[in-house]
Amino acid sequence: MSLINTKNLGKTYFNEGVATNALHDVSFSIDEGKFVAIMGASGSGKSTLLHILGFLDRHTDGEYRFDGKTIDEHSEENIAHVRNKEMGFVFQTFNLLARTTVLENVKLPLLYSRVPESLWNERALSVIKSVGLSHRLDHESSQLSGGEKQRVAIARALINRPRIIFADEPTGNLDSKSGEMVMDTLQKLNQDGHTILLITHETYTAEHAERIIKIHDGEIISDDLVKNRRTTNHFIK
C-alpha cells in the first residue's frame, strides 16, 4: 500500500462568490522510503498541495489517503496526532526560537507527544547527530548560519520519528553552498530509509530526488524518474 495516494484531487477557493481553482485532477502515489520532488513555479499550486498532504488544509474534490485513511476518517484530535507523530515539516523560514538552544529547539515537538520526558534528551541528541550538529548543541539558533538553522529544523522534524518529511522550499533562504548541504542532509536521511517529499521551484534542488512531479496551474504536467540524480557528498559524520 502507498503511504500517499491521491485520486482526482482538487482544491477550489471561494472569495465573494468567485471560484479559484488551485488544484485540478491531481493523481499520484508515493511509496514509503521514496524521495519525491514536486516542482513548479510560484502560484502553480504546489504549496496548496503540500498543505493538503500534510493535513493542514482540506481538498474540495477527489480523494486523498495517507497510510490508507482519508482525513474524514480521523477525529480533529487524531488529525493533530497524525501531523505531530507521522509527519515532519521543514519550512523555508526555519521557524526556530531565536534565544533558545539547538537542543531545546529540537525537543519542542516532544511537548505535544506521548514520548516519556525521560527519553527526550536521548532522542534529541540522536537526531541532532544525524544532521551533523552535535558540536552546536548549546548554541542559540540566533548564533547559527542559515544552513545550520535549516539542519536544526530537519532534526526537529525527525524528533517524533515520522513516516514522512515534508520539506517546503528548504533551500529558499540559503546561499548555494548551504543549500547543497541541506539537500545532502535530506538525501542522506532518505538513504537511511526516511520518506521525503520536497516542494521546490528549482531544477537543481529537485534533482536530488529520485522522482520529479511537475505541476503547472494546479495540474500535473509530468511525473518522471530522475535519470541523472545528484548524489550526496556524505559530509555528515
Side-chain angles (χ1 to χ4, degrees):
M1 181 185 295
S2 299
L3 182 60
I4 281 180
N5 189 282
T6 73
K7 184 177 181 182
N8 306 125
L9 193 70
K11 176 67 177 181
T12 302
Y13 293 100
F14 294 92
N15 184 21
E16 297 181 353
V18 178
T20 301
N21 293 319
L23 294 173
H24 175 69
D25 200 27
V26 172
S27 299
F28 64 91
S29 62
I30 298 175
D31 292 335
E32 203 150 9
K34 300 298 183 181
F35 189 161
V36 178
I38 295 178
M39 182 179 169
S42 178
S44 62
K46 61 187 188 298
S47 290
T48 298
L49 179 57
L50 172 68
H51 290 160
I52 292 171
L53 298 181
F55 283 178
L56 299 168
D57 196 3
R58 291 176 180 261
H59 55 287
T60 52
D61 300 287
E63 182 179 271
Y64 167 45
R65 291 184 177 273
F66 178 79
D67 196 25
K69 291 185 178 181
T70 68
I71 192 170
D72 294 326
E73 294 178 73
H74 295 282
S75 66
E76 287 300 320
E77 180 181 356
N78 199 44
I79 287 170
H81 174 71
V82 170
R83 278 198 303 261
N84 187 51
K85 170 62 180 166
E86 307 289 336
M87 303 170 175
F89 296 89
V90 179
F91 297 103
Q92 180 176 341
T93 51
F94 318 133
N95 295 339
L96 302 179
L97 299 181
R99 305 298 296 179
T100 305
T101 67
V102 167
L103 181 61
E104 294 302 319
N105 265 291
V106 170
K107 288 196 295 185
L108 278 176
L110 295 173
L111 291 169
Y112 311 100
S113 75
R114 299 170 187 174
V115 178
E117 190 171 356
S118 60
L119 299 178
W120 288 8
N121 271 2
E122 178 184 349
R123 186 173 287 197
L125 291 172
S126 176
V127 294
I128 291 169
K129 181 180 179 180
S130 76
V131 299
L133 287 176
S134 296
H135 62 297
R136 295 293 202 190
L137 280 180
D138 298 322
H139 286 68
E140 294 181 353
S141 63
S142 58
Q143 299 173 304
L144 305 179
S145 68
E148 288 173 333
K149 289 178 182 178
Q150 195 59 290
R151 285 155 61 195
V152 173
I154 292 170
R156 185 182 56 194
L158 288 169
I159 192 69
N160 279 323
R161 299 174 180 171
R163 303 282 297 281
I164 187 169
I165 296 173
F166 294 107
D168 189 6
E169 300 280 8
T171 64
N173 284 337
L174 305 178
D175 59 58
S176 58
K177 182 179 179 180
S178 296
E180 184 67 19
M181 292 178 74
V182 166
M183 292 312 303
D184 283 354
T185 303
L186 291 174
Q187 197 170 66
K188 173 68 163 52
L189 292 172
N190 174 244
Q191 291 167 356
D192 290 341
H194 295 277
T195 307
I196 311 288
L197 181 63
L198 169 71
I199 301 294
T200 185
H201 66 279
E202 301 171 326
T203 300
Y204 182 88
T205 303
E207 287 175 348
H208 283 80
E210 57 192 309
R211 174 183 166 202
I212 299 176
I213 299 171
K214 290 185 179 179
I215 187 170
H216 178 73
D217 289 342
E219 297 185 60
I220 291 177
I221 57 173
S222 66
D223 185 348
D224 300 304
L225 297 178
V226 178
K227 295 180 179 179
N228 297 306
R229 186 183 182 190
R230 297 186 182 275
T231 56
T232 178
N233 293 321
H234 297 293
F235 72 95
I236 300 173
K237 304 300 183 183

